[in-house]
Amino acid sequence: MFTEIFNQTGLLSERLNNYEFRPQQLIMANKIGEIVKNKEHLIVEAGTGTGKSMAYLVPFIYWTIEMKKRVVISTYTKALQQQLMNNDLPLLKKMLNVDFRFALCMGSENYLCIRRFFYANRDVAGTFESLRDVEEFRRLDEWRKITRTGLKHEIGFEPKGTVWTKVCRESELCLHQKCEYNEECFYGRARKLQNQSQILVINHHLFFANMAAGNMLLPSFDGVVFDEAHNLEDIATTYLGVDISNSGIRYLLDSIYIPQTKKGLLSRIGLKNDEIIQHIGDLKFATDQFFLNIHGLLGDNAQTTRLKSKNFINNIIKEPLLSLVSALNKLKKSINNEADKIEIDANIERLQRVDDSLDCIINQSLEDFVYWIEMTRKARYIRVVLHANPINVAQRLKATVFEKIAPVILTSATLTTNKSFDYIKSRLGLDTASELVLDSPFDYNKQALLYLPQNMPDPREDRYIECAAEKIEELLTLTHGKAFILFTSYSMLNKLHEIVTKSLPNFNHIRQGDFPPAKAVEMFKANNNSVLWGTTTFWQGIDVPGKALQCVIITRLPFAVPDDPIIEARVEYLKGQNIDPFRNYQVPQAIILTKQGYGRLIRHGDDVGVVAILDSRITTKGYGKLFIQSLPLSRRVGTIEEVVGFMEGI
């Protein structure tokens, strides 16, 4: 069907230098073309290097044009979004000689609001909390004069939240057609382009935010491609949940009025209402006491705690909150300015959401949800967050995605466990779908070595840290750094980091938490003897091709923490269904993350290196063979001497 595009003498070979024909890419494109035509679903694991983005874009471009349809391409990482928008789609638009449009969709808070910007500019001193914020606002003004999109990610610096939230678009504050800047509106222009486009590129977060908002955030669409689909369950669990925090309530109240600085909404609209100021003070006091009571219930050492009983605490926030809402409603009646009215309405709506969220969590009113508290110690306070998350998103996704939209394509390099899609399909509610597994075109037998050291202790034993440090030092010395060391906990990371950096101080050690993730990767690439120490963030979505990365060390099989409230609730749910949670949930979940970690090593056809797994359970436990069978087929060794022989030969 698409041979003339993907084969050795096709359109891609004519337009791309060093084009390599990959039969897997053509197979995937043809299968998707068939699925799209029949309005069915497909789940496809396409190994690294398959060229899967081109394989799904081409069939969908033709489908949207011929059938007058619109498709959403949903990704997990910004890097893939940028590849699609800046490389793949512009190339195909030029090459295919068909008239189609594509657009990037971002949440509206990513856009500068011109009206709010000039509103803040009229009273800079009353809007911003510090001179640093004012200076940053002035830098934003320079960017505003030259930007064509108004998108936050195109600013040459990362604006502070306390500044950006004062000038970004917020849906509740939008005046729509009544706005004097309606014709210049960055978000409005973006929506016009989206409505005219056949291909919409979004991320998973926006997809589920749109679902939670009743499909109001995106134009209507007819088909979906979920790329990097292995992350869907976790994103859906977050976005289909409810949470409320002490810092969130404090920020909301400060946006209305701060007595100490006399800043906030009341100051900006020129109203000093003593009744409202008193209600804000009462609500702040009640909020502080409420979260102090939670802290008292859980104790100083608590970090995450599951809530198993309803009405676990008295809601002392409710009465002062409703009093403030009533006072704001009364104030609104005396205001004539439309923008000020909308801003008061927005704050009323936010306060009511706080009330609804607290009622929901305290009363545990949502069935099949897990309720829990998260406490994080900050420099000047303890942040407390109350959460409610769905235990199983499968039925929700089945009803709102797979039974309502067709075609739906799910793809990733890591969707199977032991060559089966059963795990991911059961987690997502995908009952009926065609399946396709495509191996990577890379030669892992030649390019990669899997090192499973002999005689390693179980990672739960005391002597594991000492043995792991020894193996890490051997490997880093052999590869001259050029390594990712992946962990499942900060505790183990910090222990091993302290030991290894003392014995090998000359390497460029980059530890997660010391730098933002993007900066850490940039530093790693810039220095040829770098060692990156990371947890979950660095197991996936990081692309370091070439000689900069020649070793990936997985310290421990990435089983989820069993007492994590969501994991614990899912395990209980499966037991209630007479399903073995370890075999059917915990092991497959860990296998997919292990495959992601392994996948950091070989990104291109000329990449080479070693993956070391320092967890003896992969060879001593019965389930270990499932991990090995799920990884790309590569030579396996157990001694450092064999690793030396491999590395000397590359």
Side-chain angles (χ1 to χ4, degrees), residues 601-621:
L601 182 68
I602 306 298
R603 308 303 298 171
H604 287 171
D606 54 358
D607 291 345
V608 290
V610 57
V611 174
I613 300 178
L614 307 185
D615 191 329
S616 61
R617 292 175 295 179
I618 200 167
T619 54
T620 62
K621 299 294 184 183

Side-chain angles (χ1 to χ4, degrees), residues 52-53 56 74-76 80 204 225-229 409 411-412:
K52 63 182 184 300
S53 58
Y56 59 67
S74 182
T75 79
Y76 179 66
L80 181 53
H204 299 337
V225 176
F226 290 113
D227 201 341
E228 302 173 313
I409 311 295
T411 187
S412 169

Side-chain angles (χ1 to χ4, degrees), residues 33-274:
E34 174 191 323
I35 291 294
V36 166
K37 182 179 178 181
N38 296 329
K39 295 184 70 174
E40 297 172 347
H41 301 327
L42 172 68
I43 183 166
V44 51
E45 180 173 88
T48 305
T50 299
K52 63 182 184 300
S53 58
M54 287 288 193
Y56 59 67
L57 286 175
V58 170
F60 271 104
I61 287 169
Y62 283 112
W63 178 70
T64 59
I65 297 299
E66 292 169 7
M67 305 302 294
K68 294 182 171 53
K69 301 289 187 180
R70 181 182 290 125
V71 65
V72 159
I73 312 294
S74 182
T75 79
Y76 179 66
T77 61
K78 287 182 180 178
L80 181 53
Q81 278 189 328
Q82 290 167 356
Q83 175 194 314
L84 293 169
M85 290 297 300
N86 300 335
N87 301 330
D88 297 349
L89 284 164
L91 172 66
L92 290 173
K93 187 174 178 67
K94 188 182 296 185
M95 184 185 76
L96 296 179
N97 197 28
V98 292
D99 185 23
F100 73 93
R101 290 190 175 191
F102 56 91
L104 176 66
C105 301
M106 307 283 284
S108 68
E109 70 282 356
N110 288 282
Y111 291 87
L112 179 73
C113 173
I114 300 173
R115 181 187 67 79
R116 294 190 74 210
F117 183 90
F118 285 122
Y119 191 78
N121 196 42
R122 286 201 297 266
D123 184 17
V124 172
T127 300
F128 298 105
E129 298 170 16
S130 67
L131 285 175
R132 285 186 62 189
D133 285 2
V134 173
E135 289 170 7
E136 190 164 286
F137 176 73
R138 295 305 179 203
R139 292 178 70 191
L140 281 177
D141 192 20
E142 294 304 310
W143 167 75
R144 176 193 62 81
K145 294 171 184 175
I146 60 172
T147 181
R148 298 177 64 185
T149 66
L151 277 168
K152 178 184 175 184
H153 74 260
E154 294 182 0
I155 304 172
F157 60 94
E158 181 66 28
K160 289 173 60 181
T162 52
V163 177
W164 183 252
T165 54
K166 303 287 198 317
V167 298
C168 70
R169 183 187 186 273
E170 293 189 10
S171 55
E172 302 122 313
L173 302 180
C174 186
L175 297 179
H176 302 287
Q177 300 298 324
K178 296 178 182 178
C179 180
E180 60 186 304
Y181 301 102
N182 184 51
E183 293 300 317
E184 306 163 59
C185 176
F186 292 117
Y187 180 72
R189 289 178 185 174
R191 282 305 297 254
K192 285 178 185 176
L193 177 59
Q194 292 164 22
N195 285 322
Q196 295 165 357
S197 296
Q198 290 82 25
I199 312 286
L200 302 180
V201 178
I202 70 170
N203 62 25
H204 299 337
H205 300 81
L206 182 56
F207 183 90
F208 290 111
N210 181 60
M211 181 190 294
N215 300 314
M216 297 295 291
L217 306 183
L218 294 171
S220 61
F221 51 89
D222 308 287
V224 183
V225 176
F226 290 113
D227 201 341
E228 302 173 313
H230 57 278
N231 288 296
L232 280 179
E233 182 184 17
D234 288 341
I235 304 297
T237 299
T238 299
Y239 269 83
L240 301 178
V242 175
D243 60 67
I244 193 76
S245 68
N246 55 348
S247 57
I249 298 175
R250 169 70 67 165
Y251 182 82
L252 171 56
L253 295 177
D254 284 349
S255 72
I256 301 172
Y257 189 72
I258 306 174
Q260 296 88 336
T261 61
K262 296 181 171 53
K263 294 182 179 182
L265 170 63
L266 295 184
S267 296
R268 291 201 306 277
I269 64 178
L271 286 174
K272 185 184 176 186
N273 186 298
D274 291 337

Side-chain angles (χ1 to χ4, degrees), residues 436-487:
L436 182 63
V437 177
L438 297 168
D439 291 332
S440 169
F442 300 149
D443 188 346
Y444 283 93
N445 258 321
K446 289 183 178 179
Q447 293 178 246
L449 187 74
L450 178 60
Y451 174 39
L452 308 177
Q454 297 171 353
N455 303 317
M456 279 293 292
D458 188 295
R460 293 164 291 191
E461 294 181 27
D462 291 340
R463 63 192 184 96
Y464 172 80
I465 293 293
E466 181 184 346
C467 293
E470 180 184 325
K471 298 300 179 188
I472 291 170
E473 289 164 6
E474 289 177 347
L475 287 163
L476 295 184
T477 302
L478 176 62
T479 60
H480 307 288
K482 303 181 180 65
F484 278 9
I485 310 178
L486 303 178
F487 295 84

